[in-house]
Amino acid sequence: MPFQEQNEEEKLKDFEARIARGEKVEPGDWMPEQYRKNLIRMISQHAHSEIVGQLPEGKWIPYAPGFRRKLTLIAKVQDEAGHGQLLYRAAETSVNHGKR
């Protein structure tokens, strides 16, 4: 039966079977609303952690002993900021797909 024609109970059963098989779930895929909310919450928390994690390291950049160490700290801070941005984007994508 095509997915669009399934009732909510059948969709949930198929979704749980996918999870049990270890398959990936993409933002555009059907998922229970509570699952999507928890997914967005967890992604957002991880993004916040990346952003907040860079703050203490960023404060040490001016005090690093030498140019190479300053560059190393800058690269680490940029890396953490990039992780946070990617995670925020993933959460945003999940939110937008849930509003369809």
Side-chain angles (χ1 to χ4, degrees):
M1 175 183 314
F3 189 76
Q4 291 80 9
E5 295 176 15
Q6 291 179 319
N7 64 35
E8 291 295 310
E9 190 175 304
E10 292 168 331
K11 288 179 184 179
L12 180 59
K13 187 176 177 181
D14 287 348
F15 178 80
E16 289 174 346
R18 285 183 63 195
I19 298 296
R21 290 190 301 268
E23 293 180 17
K24 286 184 180 180
V25 177
E26 299 293 334
D29 295 345
W30 182 90
M31 62 186 77
E33 191 58 34
Q34 192 60 38
Y35 184 94
R36 185 176 298 277
K37 285 180 182 179
N38 282 326
L39 176 68
I40 292 166
R41 182 183 55 80
M42 289 188 308
I43 293 171
S44 298
Q45 286 176 336
H46 189 172
H48 302 334
S49 168
E50 295 286 344
I51 298 299
V52 170
Q54 76 179 352
L55 297 175
E57 293 168 353
K59 291 180 181 181
W60 283 99
I61 294 169
Y63 305 106
F67 188 66
R68 282 188 173 273
R69 297 221 178 142
K70 284 182 187 347
L71 288 177
T72 301
L73 275 174
I74 289 168
K76 183 153 178 47
V77 168
Q78 285 178 324
D79 195 46
E80 297 301 317
H83 294 159
Q85 288 177 329
L86 288 171
L87 287 161
Y88 283 131
R89 182 67 182 122
E92 180 183 33
T93 300
S94 295
V95 167
N96 291 337
H97 279 285
K99 292 181 179 177
R100 289 184 178 177

